[in-house]
Amino acid sequence: ETGVTQSPTHLIKTRGQQVTLRCSSQSGHNTVSWYQQALGQGPQFIFQYYREEENGRGNFPPRFSGLQFPNYSSELNVNALELDDSALYLCASSTTGAPYEQYFGPGTRLTVT
Amino acid sequence: DAKTTQPPSMDCAEGRAANLPCNHSTISGNEYVYWYRQIHSQGPQYIIHGLKNNETNEMASLIITEDRKSSTLILPHATLRDTAVYYCAIIQGAQKLVFGQGTRLTINP
């Protein structure tokens, strides 16, 4: 069984640039959720994708967007990067149906300068 | 959002049981309680979850109070490798995990 993978591991961008982060879900999982974790904080829900559609969104602006592909992998895109976007970005995959266990990938560390 | 509250830090001696508390007084009837741990800013590792009943797996036990307003994660025989930040989270609407600030658990030799 393959776990959740994310790429790249680390990324440095300049304020105003755009970034794309990638996630491959665990085998057998059809739902992907993205979280942002600032230093010293718990993860914050960004959005979830199921059947290639957004299936719930947290309190993040529209410049945070995503995609899910037919193989259930997913991308997180962030436009017009701000310094506060510096964080660990986590992807979690799950199946539908209770209890909705989510399994996390190793994360992508984004630094905006 | 249902909120979870945890002590910021705890210490435990190696080989002893580590008991980590979490308050979730605004939890709704169909919301699950989850526990994760995170080591050195890696991705959170799933530990256990529960709804109403106490649960046990190979990693830990989860005790949920009858009114579901709080829970305790028990690591029965803590080792140095259990040093991590432990998060209690509530899953809402089958979508988002709502995490608290976490407890930094240090296991001392």
PDB file of all heavy atoms in Angstrom, chain A residues 44-62:
ATOM      1  N   GLN A  44      -4.492  24.126   9.554  1.00  0.00           N
ATOM      2  CA  GLN A  44      -5.743  24.809   9.243  1.00  0.00           C
ATOM      3  C   GLN A  44      -6.267  24.301   7.907  1.00  0.00           C
ATOM      4  O   GLN A  44      -5.529  24.286   6.913  1.00  0.00           O
ATOM      5  CB  GLN A  44      -5.527  26.324   9.172  1.00  0.00           C
ATOM      6  CG  GLN A  44      -5.043  26.945  10.476  1.00  0.00           C
ATOM      7  CD  GLN A  44      -6.117  26.981  11.535  1.00  0.00           C
ATOM      8  OE1 GLN A  44      -7.246  27.356  11.267  1.00  0.00           O
ATOM      9  NE2 GLN A  44      -5.766  26.589  12.752  1.00  0.00           N
ATOM     10  N   PHE A  45      -7.544  23.922   7.878  1.00  0.00           N
ATOM     11  CA  PHE A  45      -8.173  23.372   6.676  1.00  0.00           C
ATOM     12  C   PHE A  45      -8.280  24.423   5.588  1.00  0.00           C
ATOM     13  O   PHE A  45      -8.808  25.518   5.821  1.00  0.00           O
ATOM     14  CB  PHE A  45      -9.556  22.844   7.057  1.00  0.00           C
ATOM     15  CG  PHE A  45     -10.386  22.327   5.917  1.00  0.00           C
ATOM     16  CD1 PHE A  45     -10.115  21.083   5.352  1.00  0.00           C
ATOM     17  CD2 PHE A  45     -11.452  23.054   5.431  1.00  0.00           C
ATOM     18  CE1 PHE A  45     -10.906  20.586   4.322  1.00  0.00           C
ATOM     19  CE2 PHE A  45     -12.245  22.566   4.409  1.00  0.00           C
ATOM     20  CZ  PHE A  45     -11.974  21.328   3.850  1.00  0.00           C
ATOM     21  N   ILE A  46      -7.789  24.066   4.369  1.00  0.00           N
ATOM     22  CA  ILE A  46      -7.916  24.979   3.228  1.00  0.00           C
ATOM     23  C   ILE A  46      -9.135  24.580   2.400  1.00  0.00           C
ATOM     24  O   ILE A  46     -10.057  25.368   2.216  1.00  0.00           O
ATOM     25  CB  ILE A  46      -6.643  24.965   2.353  1.00  0.00           C
ATOM     26  CG1 ILE A  46      -5.409  25.331   3.176  1.00  0.00           C
ATOM     27  CG2 ILE A  46      -6.812  25.919   1.163  1.00  0.00           C
ATOM     28  CD1 ILE A  46      -4.105  25.211   2.419  1.00  0.00           C
ATOM     29  N   PHE A  47      -9.110  23.384   1.838  1.00  0.00           N
ATOM     30  CA  PHE A  47     -10.264  22.831   1.108  1.00  0.00           C
ATOM     31  C   PHE A  47     -10.090  21.339   0.911  1.00  0.00           C
ATOM     32  O   PHE A  47      -9.042  20.756   1.216  1.00  0.00           O
ATOM     33  CB  PHE A  47     -10.488  23.525  -0.249  1.00  0.00           C
ATOM     34  CG  PHE A  47      -9.268  23.779  -1.077  1.00  0.00           C
ATOM     35  CD1 PHE A  47      -8.371  22.775  -1.395  1.00  0.00           C
ATOM     36  CD2 PHE A  47      -9.006  25.057  -1.546  1.00  0.00           C
ATOM     37  CE1 PHE A  47      -7.258  23.018  -2.159  1.00  0.00           C
ATOM     38  CE2 PHE A  47      -7.897  25.320  -2.325  1.00  0.00           C
ATOM     39  CZ  PHE A  47      -7.017  24.301  -2.622  1.00  0.00           C
ATOM     40  N   GLN A  48     -11.174  20.733   0.391  1.00  0.00           N
ATOM     41  CA  GLN A  48     -11.209  19.296   0.132  1.00  0.00           C
ATOM     42  C   GLN A  48     -11.719  19.067  -1.289  1.00  0.00           C
ATOM     43  O   GLN A  48     -12.584  19.812  -1.766  1.00  0.00           O
ATOM     44  CB  GLN A  48     -12.116  18.583   1.122  1.00  0.00           C
ATOM     45  CG  GLN A  48     -12.150  17.067   0.968  1.00  0.00           C
ATOM     46  CD  GLN A  48     -13.135  16.418   1.931  1.00  0.00           C
ATOM     47  OE1 GLN A  48     -14.322  16.301   1.670  1.00  0.00           O
ATOM     48  NE2 GLN A  48     -12.614  15.985   3.078  1.00  0.00           N
ATOM     49  N   TYR A  49     -11.194  18.040  -1.937  1.00  0.00           N
ATOM     50  CA  TYR A  49     -11.644  17.669  -3.280  1.00  0.00           C
ATOM     51  C   TYR A  49     -12.131  16.233  -3.295  1.00  0.00           C
ATOM     52  O   TYR A  49     -11.495  15.318  -2.723  1.00  0.00           O
ATOM     53  CB  TYR A  49     -10.519  17.848  -4.299  1.00  0.00           C
ATOM     54  CG  TYR A  49     -10.443  19.266  -4.783  1.00  0.00           C
ATOM     55  CD1 TYR A  49      -9.763  20.221  -4.035  1.00  0.00           C
ATOM     56  CD2 TYR A  49     -11.094  19.671  -5.939  1.00  0.00           C
ATOM     57  CE1 TYR A  49      -9.727  21.534  -4.444  1.00  0.00           C
ATOM     58  CE2 TYR A  49     -11.059  20.983  -6.363  1.00  0.00           C
ATOM     59  CZ  TYR A  49     -10.368  21.916  -5.603  1.00  0.00           C
ATOM     60  OH  TYR A  49     -10.332  23.216  -6.016  1.00  0.00           O
ATOM     61  N   TYR A  50     -13.265  16.056  -3.953  1.00  0.00           N
ATOM     62  CA  TYR A  50     -13.874  14.727  -4.131  1.00  0.00           C
ATOM     63  C   TYR A  50     -14.502  14.703  -5.513  1.00  0.00           C
ATOM     64  O   TYR A  50     -15.220  15.639  -5.881  1.00  0.00           O
ATOM     65  CB  TYR A  50     -14.919  14.473  -3.038  1.00  0.00           C
ATOM     66  CG  TYR A  50     -15.767  13.246  -3.245  1.00  0.00           C
ATOM     67  CD1 TYR A  50     -15.200  11.982  -3.248  1.00  0.00           C
ATOM     68  CD2 TYR A  50     -17.147  13.348  -3.442  1.00  0.00           C
ATOM     69  CE1 TYR A  50     -15.974  10.855  -3.442  1.00  0.00           C
ATOM     70  CE2 TYR A  50     -17.928  12.222  -3.633  1.00  0.00           C
ATOM     71  CZ  TYR A  50     -17.332  10.972  -3.636  1.00  0.00           C
ATOM     72  OH  TYR A  50     -18.101   9.857  -3.821  1.00  0.00           O
ATOM     73  N   ARG A  51     -14.251  13.643  -6.263  1.00  0.00           N
ATOM     74  CA  ARG A  51     -14.778  13.526  -7.637  1.00  0.00           C
ATOM     75  C   ARG A  51     -14.447  14.771  -8.454  1.00  0.00           C
ATOM     76  O   ARG A  51     -15.277  15.282  -9.195  1.00  0.00           O
ATOM     77  CB  ARG A  51     -16.292  13.291  -7.618  1.00  0.00           C
ATOM     78  CG  ARG A  51     -16.675  11.929  -7.097  1.00  0.00           C
ATOM     79  CD  ARG A  51     -18.167  11.688  -7.231  1.00  0.00           C
ATOM     80  NE  ARG A  51     -18.509  10.328  -6.854  1.00  0.00           N
ATOM     81  CZ  ARG A  51     -19.742   9.844  -6.833  1.00  0.00           C
ATOM     82  NH1 ARG A  51     -20.754  10.616  -7.178  1.00  0.00           N
ATOM     83  NH2 ARG A  51     -19.973   8.606  -6.475  1.00  0.00           N
ATOM     84  N   GLU A  52     -13.227  15.260  -8.283  1.00  0.00           N
ATOM     85  CA  GLU A  52     -12.674  16.378  -9.063  1.00  0.00           C
ATOM     86  C   GLU A  52     -13.384  17.702  -8.811  1.00  0.00           C
ATOM     87  O   GLU A  52     -13.183  18.667  -9.549  1.00  0.00           O
ATOM     88  CB  GLU A  52     -12.658  16.033 -10.560  1.00  0.00           C
ATOM     89  CG  GLU A  52     -11.883  14.765 -10.870  1.00  0.00           C
ATOM     90  CD  GLU A  52     -11.944  14.370 -12.344  1.00  0.00           C
ATOM     91  OE1 GLU A  52     -11.728  15.252 -13.201  1.00  0.00           O
ATOM     92  OE2 GLU A  52     -12.204  13.194 -12.627  1.00  0.00           O
ATOM     93  N   GLU A  53     -14.201  17.763  -7.748  1.00  0.00           N
ATOM     94  CA  GLU A  53     -14.888  19.001  -7.404  1.00  0.00           C
ATOM     95  C   GLU A  53     -14.499  19.425  -5.981  1.00  0.00           C
ATOM     96  O   GLU A  53     -14.252  18.566  -5.113  1.00  0.00           O
ATOM     97  CB  GLU A  53     -16.406  18.802  -7.464  1.00  0.00           C
ATOM     98  CG  GLU A  53     -16.953  18.436  -8.826  1.00  0.00           C
ATOM     99  CD  GLU A  53     -17.023  19.630  -9.759  1.00  0.00           C
ATOM    100  OE1 GLU A  53     -17.074  20.769  -9.258  1.00  0.00           O
ATOM    101  OE2 GLU A  53     -17.005  19.416 -10.981  1.00  0.00           O
ATOM    102  N   GLU A  54     -14.499  20.729  -5.747  1.00  0.00           N
ATOM    103  CA  GLU A  54     -14.266  21.218  -4.398  1.00  0.00           C
ATOM    104  C   GLU A  54     -15.457  20.835  -3.530  1.00  0.00           C
ATOM    105  O   GLU A  54     -16.610  21.110  -3.872  1.00  0.00           O
ATOM    106  CB  GLU A  54     -14.077  22.738  -4.416  1.00  0.00           C
ATOM    107  CG  GLU A  54     -13.619  23.299  -3.074  1.00  0.00           C
ATOM    108  CD  GLU A  54     -13.391  24.794  -3.118  1.00  0.00           C
ATOM    109  OE1 GLU A  54     -12.396  25.252  -3.701  1.00  0.00           O
ATOM    110  OE2 GLU A  54     -14.236  25.528  -2.542  1.00  0.00           O
ATOM    111  N   ASN A  55     -15.157  20.256  -2.379  1.00  0.00           N
ATOM    112  CA  ASN A  55     -16.194  19.683  -1.515  1.00  0.00           C
ATOM    113  C   ASN A  55     -16.105  20.270  -0.117  1.00  0.00           C
ATOM    114  O   ASN A  55     -16.194  19.566   0.871  1.00  0.00           O
ATOM    115  CB  ASN A  55     -16.002  18.158  -1.460  1.00  0.00           C
ATOM    116  CG  ASN A  55     -17.058  17.465  -0.655  1.00  0.00           C
ATOM    117  OD1 ASN A  55     -18.233  17.781  -0.769  1.00  0.00           O
ATOM    118  ND2 ASN A  55     -16.668  16.523   0.184  1.00  0.00           N
ATOM    119  N   GLY A  56     -15.905  21.567  -0.032  1.00  0.00           N
ATOM    120  CA  GLY A  56     -15.774  22.215   1.267  1.00  0.00           C
ATOM    121  C   GLY A  56     -14.534  23.067   1.286  1.00  0.00           C
ATOM    122  O   GLY A  56     -13.495  22.679   0.712  1.00  0.00           O
ATOM    123  N   ARG A  57     -14.618  24.225   1.915  1.00  0.00           N
ATOM    124  CA  ARG A  57     -13.515  25.173   1.924  1.00  0.00           C
ATOM    125  C   ARG A  57     -13.435  25.857   3.278  1.00  0.00           C
ATOM    126  O   ARG A  57     -14.465  26.159   3.887  1.00  0.00           O
ATOM    127  CB  ARG A  57     -13.746  26.222   0.828  1.00  0.00           C
ATOM    128  CG  ARG A  57     -12.588  27.160   0.601  1.00  0.00           C
ATOM    129  CD  ARG A  57     -12.876  28.146  -0.527  1.00  0.00           C
ATOM    130  NE  ARG A  57     -11.718  28.974  -0.794  1.00  0.00           N
ATOM    131  CZ  ARG A  57     -10.799  28.706  -1.710  1.00  0.00           C
ATOM    132  NH1 ARG A  57     -10.930  27.642  -2.480  1.00  0.00           N
ATOM    133  NH2 ARG A  57      -9.759  29.503  -1.883  1.00  0.00           N
ATOM    134  N   GLY A  58     -12.235  26.071   3.726  1.00  0.00           N
ATOM    135  CA  GLY A  58     -12.004  26.811   4.953  1.00  0.00           C
ATOM    136  C   GLY A  58     -11.928  28.302   4.677  1.00  0.00           C
ATOM    137  O   GLY A  58     -12.255  28.773   3.580  1.00  0.00           O
ATOM    138  N   ASN A  59     -11.461  29.044   5.651  1.00  0.00           N
ATOM    139  CA  ASN A  59     -11.421  30.498   5.568  1.00  0.00           C
ATOM    140  C   ASN A  59     -10.143  30.973   4.872  1.00  0.00           C
ATOM    141  O   ASN A  59      -9.275  31.589   5.488  1.00  0.00           O
ATOM    142  CB  ASN A  59     -11.517  31.081   6.976  1.00  0.00           C
ATOM    143  CG  ASN A  59     -11.701  32.576   6.967  1.00  0.00           C
ATOM    144  OD1 ASN A  59     -12.218  33.133   5.997  1.00  0.00           O
ATOM    145  ND2 ASN A  59     -11.264  33.227   8.028  1.00  0.00           N
ATOM    146  N   PHE A  60     -10.040  30.664   3.597  1.00  0.00           N
ATOM    147  CA  PHE A  60      -8.885  31.079   2.794  1.00  0.00           C
ATOM    148  C   PHE A  60      -9.383  31.838   1.571  1.00  0.00           C
ATOM    149  O   PHE A  60     -10.430  31.512   1.018  1.00  0.00           O
ATOM    150  CB  PHE A  60      -8.065  29.850   2.356  1.00  0.00           C
ATOM    151  CG  PHE A  60      -7.172  29.324   3.454  1.00  0.00           C
ATOM    152  CD1 PHE A  60      -7.675  28.484   4.435  1.00  0.00           C
ATOM    153  CD2 PHE A  60      -5.837  29.686   3.508  1.00  0.00           C
ATOM    154  CE1 PHE A  60      -6.866  28.022   5.462  1.00  0.00           C
ATOM    155  CE2 PHE A  60      -5.013  29.222   4.521  1.00  0.00           C
ATOM    156  CZ  PHE A  60      -5.534  28.385   5.495  1.00  0.00           C
ATOM    157  N   PRO A  61      -8.611  32.847   1.128  1.00  0.00           N
ATOM    158  CA  PRO A  61      -9.061  33.676  -0.014  1.00  0.00           C
ATOM    159  C   PRO A  61      -9.023  32.888  -1.326  1.00  0.00           C
ATOM    160  O   PRO A  61      -8.374  31.836  -1.421  1.00  0.00           O
ATOM    161  CB  PRO A  61      -8.044  34.823  -0.011  1.00  0.00           C
ATOM    162  CG  PRO A  61      -6.838  34.251   0.647  1.00  0.00           C
ATOM    163  CD  PRO A  61      -7.337  33.297   1.685  1.00  0.00           C
ATOM    164  N   PRO A  62      -9.686  33.438  -2.365  1.00  0.00           N
ATOM    165  CA  PRO A  62      -9.766  32.758  -3.666  1.00  0.00           C
ATOM    166  C   PRO A  62      -8.424  32.548  -4.346  1.00  0.00           C
ATOM    167  O   PRO A  62      -8.326  31.722  -5.262  1.00  0.00           O
ATOM    168  CB  PRO A  62     -10.662  33.694  -4.490  1.00  0.00           C
ATOM    169  CG  PRO A  62     -11.431  34.463  -3.482  1.00  0.00           C
ATOM    170  CD  PRO A  62     -10.530  34.645  -2.305  1.00  0.00           C
TER     171      PRO A  62
END
